[in-house]
Amino acid sequence: MIQCEGLVKIYKAADLEVFALQGLDMNVEAGELMAIIGNSGSGKSTLLNMLGGLDRPTAGSLTVNGKNMLKMSERDLVSYKRESVGFVWQNNARNLIPYLTALENVELPILLQGRRKRMRALELLEAVGLTHRKNNKLHQLSGGEQQRVAIAIALANEPKLLLADEPTGSLDSRMADQVLDLFRELNRTIGITIVIVTHDPLLAKKVDRVVAIRDGKISSEMLRRKSYAEELEELERGIAAEEEDSHVEYAILDKAGRLQVPAAYLESIGVKDSNKVKLELADGKILLTSPGAPKKSVDPDNSEEAS
Ligand SMILES: Nc1ncnc2c1ncn2[C@@H]1O[C@H](COP(=O)(O)OP(=O)(O)O)[C@@H](O)[C@H]1O
Ligand SMILES: [Mg+2]
């Protein structure tokens, strides 16, 4: 569904340049449900906006659903946004109208598209589990329910790809869980590809694959040891799931063999003010040591972290 290689996005404001994405590589399979995590300012929204065709990359290559996002004409971009992607934001106010009912809110975008509205809107509300609230005004719904209305609207055009930017950012943890359950169910039942951006590592743990962005580059990837379905089955059979090591974390090598080493690791081996490390192959492992460190003083506990 998504192939992204060496993606670069530079924002130019007056005489200032911001490198929001710095050569990012990432692939997403059709039918995947995955999360992107990273601190504020790491480039998550920038990436999502490129995926959704809201903004254009500066360089690199990006193919979404077979379409080249760098070369696409303005006209194709408009129909891409209308037909191929659905967006869910943290802030519902962007999508919803408070004095209309849940049903009317979902009908509205369908009306603009000139399709058979009422039936379709009801179907969509059913898909997000809100049939019983259809005649309630928006402001009478909880935050989680409002977010489900927003998701129903995002699904109105039957997009292949659903992009969600901090969709649970303003919800409490119980409601956040419900929204995530809904994403999982939609992913399973209609097979829609879903990319969720979040800064909440706990939320990210609930999907099978998590990609971490640092400074506009992918720095690591966490893969679930067991599929979510297997885990649920175990839960049902009464085996407690080990939340702590549900995922295995991998560092990401780019095409040129470059690797981002966490700052804390470098500090722990005594690399601070220098930009040099010693790189050695030892016993089938790659060893990173501080150039100042005498070879014998390499502590086995630390060498494991650095390898
Ligand atoms: N329209 C813009 N103009 C200039 N700089 C921007 C713009 N949008 C984002 N940035 C900058 O790009 C970087 C990445 O931002 P963003 O993608 O919003 O991060 P995140 O969503 O991970 O918090 C930040 O340094 C941000 O200030
Ligand atoms: Mg953001």
Side-chain angles (χ1 to χ4, degrees), residues 66-191:
K67 300 201 174 65
N68 182 334
M69 303 300 287
L70 277 95
K71 298 215 174 110
M72 206 189 287
S73 71
E74 283 303 321
R75 242 182 107 178
D76 288 347
L77 204 58
V78 170
S79 53
Y80 169 80
K81 281 184 277 191
R82 216 176 265 157
E83 290 153 18
S84 305
V85 279
F87 263 106
V88 181
W89 316 94
Q90 172 176 359
N91 191 352
N92 300 311
R94 249 171 123 159
N95 284 324
L96 309 177
I97 300 171
Y99 53 82
L100 295 183
T101 65
L103 185 61
E104 287 162 344
N105 266 278
V106 180
E107 275 175 358
L108 203 60
I110 300 171
L111 189 68
L112 294 175
Q113 298 255 323
R115 297 197 196 170
R116 278 185 314 137
K117 47 168 187 165
R118 169 102 3 148
M119 241 179 73
R120 179 79 184 121
L122 280 170
E123 273 172 28
L124 288 164
L125 276 185
E126 196 188 335
V128 300
L130 274 187
T131 308
H132 62 299
R133 304 289 269 158
K134 66 176 188 253
N135 292 324
N136 285 95
K137 300 260 198 272
L138 240 287
H139 64 81
Q140 297 171 323
L141 303 184
S142 73
E145 286 171 335
Q146 291 187 16
Q147 196 59 306
R148 282 193 264 165
V149 175
I151 295 169
I153 293 171
L155 296 173
N157 304 331
E158 299 174 23
K160 295 248 173 17
L161 176 64
L162 187 64
L163 302 172
D165 197 349
E166 310 271 5
T168 60
S170 43
L171 302 179
D172 66 34
S173 63
R174 198 177 52 91
M175 284 189 200
D177 267 352
Q178 287 174 3
V179 167
L180 204 77
D181 283 344
L182 175 60
F183 281 138
R184 213 179 283 118
E185 191 187 321
L186 292 169
N187 171 254
R188 210 192 43 197
T189 53
I190 60 178

Side-chain angles (χ1 to χ4, degrees), residues 44-45 165-166 197:
K44 304 182 299 296
S45 296
D165 197 349
E166 310 271 5
V197 156

Side-chain angles (χ1 to χ4, degrees), residues 17-90:
E17 284 191 343
V18 181
F19 284 71
L21 297 179
Q22 312 199 35
L24 185 140
D25 301 325
M26 182 179 84
N27 287 333
V28 178
E29 300 293 327
E32 228 189 299
L33 166 67
M34 56 92 69
I36 297 173
I37 58 167
N39 292 336
S40 168
S42 56
K44 304 182 299 296
S45 296
T46 302
L47 173 61
L48 217 62
N49 289 346
M50 314 273 121
L51 297 178
L54 300 181
D55 203 350
R56 297 236 194 204
T58 309
S61 69
L62 176 61
T63 313
V64 184
N65 198 18
K67 300 201 174 65
N68 182 334
M69 303 300 287
L70 277 95
K71 298 215 174 110
M72 206 189 287
S73 71
E74 283 303 321
R75 242 182 107 178
D76 288 347
L77 204 58
V78 170
S79 53
Y80 169 80
K81 281 184 277 191
R82 216 176 265 157
E83 290 153 18
S84 305
V85 279
F87 263 106
V88 181
W89 316 94
Q90 172 176 359

Side-chain angles (χ1 to χ4, degrees), residues 189-297:
T189 53
I190 60 178
I192 188 170
T193 310
I194 305 180
V195 177
I196 305 168
V197 156
T198 178
H199 63 262
D200 180 0
L202 279 178
L203 191 87
K205 281 206 160 175
K206 292 173 181 154
V207 302
D208 287 339
R209 184 162 75 110
V210 185
V211 156
I213 295 195
R214 257 175 57 194
D215 302 330
K217 245 180 155 312
I218 302 292
S219 63
S220 67
E221 207 172 300
M222 284 137 279
L223 298 180
R224 187 178 277 281
R225 287 178 202 274
K226 286 177 228 148
S227 78
Y228 199 80
E230 279 176 309
E231 216 159 273
L232 273 185
E233 219 174 84
E234 286 187 359
L235 266 179
E236 273 160 17
R237 293 209 318 264
I239 308 167
E242 279 284 331
E243 262 302 314
E244 275 310 298
D245 17 277
S246 57
H247 289 71
V248 200
E249 182 164 358
Y250 296 96
I252 298 300
L253 276 174
D254 73 8
K255 287 231 160 109
R258 282 176 297 229
L259 178 75
Q260 196 165 16
V261 183
Y265 284 17
L266 291 176
E267 235 170 82
S268 83
I269 62 166
V271 178
K272 230 183 190 171
D273 307 316
S274 159
N275 65 352
K276 293 184 181 56
V277 288
K278 213 189 276 170
L279 190 62
E280 291 164 286
L281 199 58
D283 297 334
K285 289 185 177 183
I286 298 168
L287 216 59
L288 275 188
T289 41
S290 162
K295 211 170 180 181
K296 283 207 177 108
S297 79

